[in-house]
Amino acid sequence: MNKPFVIAIDGPAASGKGSLAKRLAKELEFDFLDTGALYRRIALHTLESGIDPSNTEAVIEAAQNFGDELAKDYDDSALRNDGVGNAASIVAQIPEIRQILFNFQQNFAKNSEKGAVLDGRDIATVICPDADLKLFITASTEKRAERRHKELQSRGLDATYEAVLAEMQERDERDNVRLKDHMDPNVDNHTIDTSEMNPDDVFQRALDFYKSSSR
Ligand code: DC
């Protein structure tokens, strides 16, 4: 059996990496894993159990009994809300939580049939360092806040651009401190800055990288 082709896509919040990853997986008929959603699932489970996300010991205990739930289908809107996103960025700082998810993510990539696309923060460096294609998707903080703001508005949610920008900066800071050794935009030099690009152009650029790297 051939080894599956693995595409690792990393980048900061709201850079467009999630939509790109999904579209690439669909185009190539690969399996797709949104790894941020795994941290969000643990965060949601923690919140629903009445546990404070910064209570490290309680979070670890809850997550240890949560293993099988990770693969279940979730109500996406519950996972996507900003409270859960913030809690996710707090629980993601706990090494034991990262270890629990490490195995899940590696197995997903290894056991995919044709290939797998994983998007997150540390896929190319920690989870799948041997990935066949590594992409880093980024955009300026202002652009990312602008997109997130529009998305919230389209969902009928009320938030000012300034508040979204401030939250984005806070989240970036937390993610960057923790992931400074893992998030590496220069890995393989396949960086796409989407600040001034539309989603179709980003997709085409990624597809070109894929074509020139596929075996
Ligand atoms: O991409 P996202 O917003 O759904 O991710 C939620 C949080 O999970 C984010 O603050 C960073 C964290 N995360 C991580 O630490 N490692 C990953 N591979 C994916 C997400």
Side-chain angles (χ1 to χ4, degrees), residues 17 35-36 39-40 88-89 92 98 120-122 171 175 178:
K17 65 184 188 313
T35 67
Y39 291 91
R40 285 172 183 267
S89 92
R98 303 198 73 80
R121 302 290 197 289
D122 59 347
R171 178 109 83 87
D175 287 349
R178 184 190 63 250

Side-chain angles (χ1 to χ4, degrees), residues 82-96:
D82 277 354
V84 174
N86 266 327
S89 92
I90 296 170
V91 304
Q93 306 196 48
I94 306 171
E96 286 86 347

